Structure formats: C-alpha cells, structure tokens
Amino acid sequence: MGVVSPASAQDAVVPPTLAPDAQVTIATTPPEGKTGETDTTLPTAPPEAPPPRPHRKGVVLEQTAGLLGFAGQFRHVAPPGYWMHMQLGYELFDWLMVFAAGELAFTSSDVSQDASHSMAFPIYGFGGGLRATFHVTDRFAFFVQGEGGALTAYVPHDSLTILGFRDAEGLNGQLGGRVGVEWYMIDRHLALTAQAGVRDAMGFAKVVGANDLPLMWDGAAGLRYTF
C-alpha cells in the first residue's frame, strides 16, 4: 500500500493516482514556532445593522373597526352599533394627508320599538377630507382630521319617517372631525391606530317636535398600510 506525505503531494506537478486501498497519512505537527496549543479565539460577530426607520409618507390605506353612537334625538331610536371605516389617502407631506373615505354601521330601532316591531338596518356613508399629523417620535404621532360627506340609513320606505326621521332615509350631508394616535411598526409599511370622532349628520335630525342637533360619535382601532 502506498503512503503519500503532504510534502510530496505539494511538490508533485501531477497528483499521483492512488490505489483503491491506499491510505493517506496527514502530519499533525504544528508549524515551527507554534506551541501546539489550540486557538480558541472565536470570530468577532459583525455589528448588527440598525432597524430601518418607520416609513410614513406615501399612499395610505387605513381600516378601522369600532362603535358608532348617537347623541341627538336619534339615540332614542337606535343603540350604538358596530362600525367599520376605511379611507385611502395620499400624504402630500409628512404632516398632511388628503383622503377619501367610506363607512358602514349596523344598528336597529330597539330603543323606540318593541321586539315584534323593531328592525335592524345598516347606515352607510362616504366623504373625504384632510388629516394633519404631529410626529412626537419616529414611532409615535398624534393626528387631527376634518371631513365632510353624506350619510344615510338603508331601510324600507317610511320605516324611519313614522318615527320622525324622514331625512335619514336619503343621503344627506355630514360634517365632522376626528383625533387619534398612530404607532409605527419596525416594518416601514405598517402602523397601528386608535381614534375617536364626532360629526353633525344633518339627515338624522328629527323633523317634528323640538329642535334637534343630530350629533354622532365614533371610536375605533385599526391598522394602516403605507405603500
């Protein structure tokens, strides 16, 4: 059986052909000047890169869910209901966004009618406005927004008229505002939001009896995505 040392293998121009049963001996003597001690020094890990800064400016899609309630005379007709709100906007600057919005809520006439006569119905609307954002840190901000649009209850004809709210059966104007907070994730696209608003929903004023200020309030939490 042939024995090949590392030195002869290095000097050969052409590597020798080994027999199938050949053995190779590898020298383990440390180089001259070395003590033979094993180097236990571990490689230094490269420094970690800082997380990317949260991204704020761009096209923004925001979806929130919460409650819609009534502060005018309509509170004697319907209880607060489940509410969904979606808006799509564009941030002209880090602090200013223009947006369009849509909303959908579900309530009923349980407050004013007994179980045999009450009805469940949706309320839907749309609009647009402006949002101003005040960044406390890169991760946290407050905002205030103003918006206008239209709102209506989707009910059978004259279902709310007999209760004194004829205009609620058709699209009528609304005007209001909202305040909230945003917490930006490390993922530059995502942020969490919590907000509350109040609006004057003109069509939900009672048309008979005492003067009515048809205020509505809402509160919600949700998620925004910046493209």
Side-chain angles (χ1 to χ4, degrees):
M1 295 182 292
V3 178
V4 180
S5 67
S8 61
Q10 294 174 357
D11 295 336
V13 176
V14 179
T17 302
L18 301 179
D21 58 346
Q23 295 182 351
V24 179
T25 301
I26 300 175
T28 59
T29 303
E32 185 178 354
K34 301 293 183 179
T35 62
E37 296 180 356
T38 304
D39 185 2
T40 58
T41 303
L42 297 177
T44 303
E48 294 185 3
R53 291 168 62 88
H55 181 74
R56 296 194 294 259
K57 186 172 180 294
V59 176
V60 177
L61 178 63
E62 181 178 281
Q63 173 67 64
T64 56
L67 291 176
L68 175 69
F70 313 97
Q73 293 298 318
F74 201 76
R75 72 183 187 278
H76 299 304
V77 173
Y82 180 70
W83 179 68
M84 295 176 291
H85 183 265
M86 178 181 289
Q87 65 184 44
L88 180 66
Y90 179 73
E91 292 173 310
L92 302 173
F93 308 102
D94 279 350
W95 60 273
L96 183 64
M97 179 172 70
V98 58
F99 66 87
E103 61 184 308
L104 177 65
F106 296 93
T107 186
S108 67
S109 59
D110 289 351
V111 177
S112 62
Q113 296 177 310
D114 58 47
S116 63
H117 294 90
S118 67
M119 58 180 175
F121 58 91
I123 296 174
Y124 67 89
F126 54 87
L130 294 172
R131 172 183 291 187
T133 304
F134 307 94
H135 298 280
V136 180
T137 69
D138 286 338
R139 300 286 298 278
F140 187 76
F142 294 94
F143 69 82
V144 58
Q145 72 181 41
E147 57 187 292
L151 192 70
T152 185
Y154 185 72
V155 295
H157 183 64
D158 285 343
S159 297
L160 293 177
T161 299
I162 61 175
L163 299 176
F165 297 89
R166 180 184 64 247
D167 293 341
E169 297 185 13
L171 280 171
N172 280 281
Q174 62 170 334
L175 202 60
R178 179 164 288 107
V179 295
V181 296
E182 292 176 331
W183 181 35
Y184 302 97
M185 305 288 96
I186 293 178
D187 183 328
R188 70 185 191 91
H189 298 287
L190 297 176
L192 299 178
T193 179
Q195 52 191 263
V198 63
R199 91 277 299 268
D200 182 1
M202 295 84 161
F204 286 77
K206 195 167 186 179
V207 295
V208 295
N211 291 336
D212 184 18
L213 182 60
L215 295 180
M216 293 184 181
W217 57 264
D218 58 70
L223 180 69
R224 60 168 274 168
Y225 186 91
T226 305
F227 293 89

